[in-house]
Amino acid sequence: MPRTAIALLLPLLAVTACAGEPRHPAPENGPVSVSVPVSVATAHEESLPVVYRASGTVRGRNTTVLTSKTMGYVRSVRVHPGDRVTAGQPLVELEANDVRASVARARAGLDQSSQAKTEAENGLEAARAAAKIAESTHDRMGALLKDSAISQQQYDEAEARWRGAVAQEQMAQARVGSASSSIDEAKAGLGEAQVTLGYASIVAPFAGRVLERRVDPGTLASPGMPLLVVADEGTLRVEASVEESHLDDVKVGDVANVEIQNLPAPIVGKIGEVVPSVEVASRAFLVKIDLPSDAGALRPGTFARVSFQAGSRPRLVVPSTALTSFGALDRVFVVDGGHARLRMVTRGEAQAPWTVVLSGLSANEIVVADPPADLRDGTPVEVRR
């Protein structure tokens, strides 16, 4: 084929190939954007409670340090830290041989006083009988004297015997009273010795758990020496230190929220006691929050965080659902000119259904209440009523 024919054929083939392809009209104004329907809310000021938080410790409402009231060597310690005890259960035994000797001596004195009283009562009965006979003799002698059957000397001797018998009766009565007093004194001495002997056995004052054991067998215990620490776990409370500036904000009977790490939800407690004296070192006062009986398996000594309401004041808030997080940043979408504009903010505390916004947002601005996951900065939005 001549070269001239080939040159004419190539453009014709190119035109034929282009004619076989489908044709699409080119867009005139670029891609068309679709508006995302969103619900909105207005950032506004809401009067919210001011929450003050303090750290505290779970303690038994009744926590006691058991001490020795007498001197003696520790014979045995029957419990260990963590053991549960019942009221009246023996915990520590002390040697008290001298006190046991005092009890035996006091009991012997009581027996002796009882025997003395028995002898005095028998003597009183004999004196009464003698006095009665002497009185009868005196009366008969008086009648005989009137009849001049006896001399005055005989009558005087009968009267003297009668008066002596009366005196003997009175002395016997006094001995009975003295013996009764001796018995009372011996009983008191025996009771005192028995009480002192009871100090040698230290028992649990209530049902609870042993927190500390401070002595071992063989230790010489002295009066006032700590032996054990026992806490009542049936009724627990949290003791928290509160700054002195909040002394007027915390009152007995107010509700406080208690957060404990191993519990799934906060516990609602009630302030049972406020110690008004301020500790000099920490400039704080002690607040005791009573916990409900169904607070869960808590142990004294557990760390707790306590939240108190300290008045209220207006604060800028948005719905909690309007806030999203990106790493360590908090953000909201502000509706501006029909578009969603991303705004970085500083989040404050949450008090359902609101969350406080500390910075990055002004009052009366419109925010997306519940932004979709695919919402981006600059996306057109349609406000859904």
Side-chain angles (χ1 to χ4, degrees):
M1 180 179 293
R3 293 182 178 179
T4 303
I6 294 175
L8 294 175
L9 182 58
L10 290 175
L12 180 60
L13 293 175
V15 172
T16 304
C18 291
E21 295 180 358
R23 296 187 178 185
H24 299 282
E28 297 180 358
N29 299 323
V32 178
S33 299
V34 179
S35 297
V36 177
V38 294
S39 58
V40 297
T42 304
H44 64 284
E45 288 189 346
E46 187 85 15
S47 181
L48 296 178
V50 177
V51 178
Y52 172 77
R53 291 180 172 84
S55 58
T57 304
V58 177
R59 301 190 186 279
R61 186 174 299 182
N62 296 322
T63 300
T64 184
V65 179
L66 302 181
T67 60
S68 174
K69 292 185 178 181
T70 186
M71 181 171 287
Y73 286 99
V74 177
R75 177 185 296 176
S76 64
V77 183
R78 302 182 179 181
V79 292
H80 296 84
D83 290 349
R84 292 186 179 275
V85 296
T86 58
Q89 176 181 339
L91 306 179
V92 180
E93 291 292 335
L94 304 180
E95 288 186 354
N97 296 331
D98 53 342
V99 181
R100 289 184 175 87
S102 298
V103 172
R105 187 164 50 249
R107 186 172 286 113
L110 178 60
D111 294 339
Q112 184 177 1
S113 298
S114 299
Q115 292 175 0
K117 182 179 180 181
T118 301
E119 293 177 1
E121 288 174 344
N122 293 334
L124 177 60
E125 290 297 326
R128 283 175 178 172
K132 187 175 181 180
I133 293 174
E135 183 180 7
S136 300
T137 302
H138 173 264
D139 292 341
R140 287 195 299 272
M141 287 295 184
L144 293 173
L145 180 63
K146 288 180 181 181
D147 296 337
S148 300
I150 63 172
S151 65
Q152 184 66 39
Q153 178 67 30
Q154 291 175 320
Y155 173 77
D156 291 340
E157 291 176 355
E159 185 176 7
R161 287 192 294 271
W162 171 57
R163 293 186 182 280
V166 171
Q168 290 293 329
E169 181 183 2
Q170 292 174 349
M171 291 175 61
Q173 182 69 46
R175 284 193 293 270
V176 171
S178 177
S180 298
S181 299
S182 297
I183 289 177
D184 293 339
E185 182 179 359
K187 286 182 178 179
L190 177 60
E192 182 180 0
Q194 287 175 335
V195 169
T196 306
L197 180 60
Y199 294 159
S201 179
I202 290 83
V203 300
F206 45 74
R209 185 186 294 271
V210 178
L211 300 185
E212 297 181 43
R213 169 176 163 169
R214 299 185 179 180
V215 293
D216 292 308
T219 304
L220 178 61
S222 57
M225 178 179 178
L227 305 177
L228 298 169
V229 180
V230 180
D232 179 8
E233 289 190 323
T235 53
L236 297 177
R237 65 177 14 162
V238 172
E239 296 183 359
S241 296
V242 179
E243 296 177 359
E244 60 178 334
S245 59
H246 293 282
L247 181 60
D248 296 332
D249 298 327
V250 179
K251 297 179 177 60
V252 175
D254 289 350
V255 173
N257 289 327
V258 179
E259 298 178 11
I260 298 176
Q261 185 175 4
N262 60 346
L263 295 184
I267 302 172
V268 178
K270 184 176 291 186
I271 299 176
E273 183 180 348
V274 176
V275 180
S277 60
V278 177
E279 186 181 354
V280 176
S282 62
R283 296 298 178 186
F285 61 96
L286 190 64
V287 178
K288 300 179 181 180
I289 302 96
D290 296 331
L291 300 180
S293 57
D294 58 347
L298 299 180
R299 290 194 175 186
T302 304
F303 176 78
R305 293 189 181 276
V306 185
S307 301
F308 305 96
Q309 181 175 339
S312 61
R313 61 186 175 91
R315 313 183 74 177
L316 183 65
V317 298
V318 295
S320 298
T321 55
L323 285 156
T324 58
S325 298
F326 183 75
L329 302 176
D330 296 312
R331 58 188 185 174
V332 296
F333 285 96
V334 178
V335 177
D336 183 16
H339 291 77
R341 302 299 180 186
L342 189 63
R343 185 83 59 85
M344 298 300 172
V345 297
T346 303
R347 180 198 298 258
E349 62 184 348
Q351 296 188 26
W354 310 109
T355 295
V356 177
V357 176
L358 302 177
S359 64
L361 197 64
S362 301
N364 299 322
E365 287 194 280
I366 307 300
V367 299
V368 178
D370 191 7
D374 57 349
L375 188 62
R376 299 290 182 270
D377 183 32
T379 301
V381 294
E382 177 185 352
V383 176
R384 184 171 52 199
R385 302 296 180 182

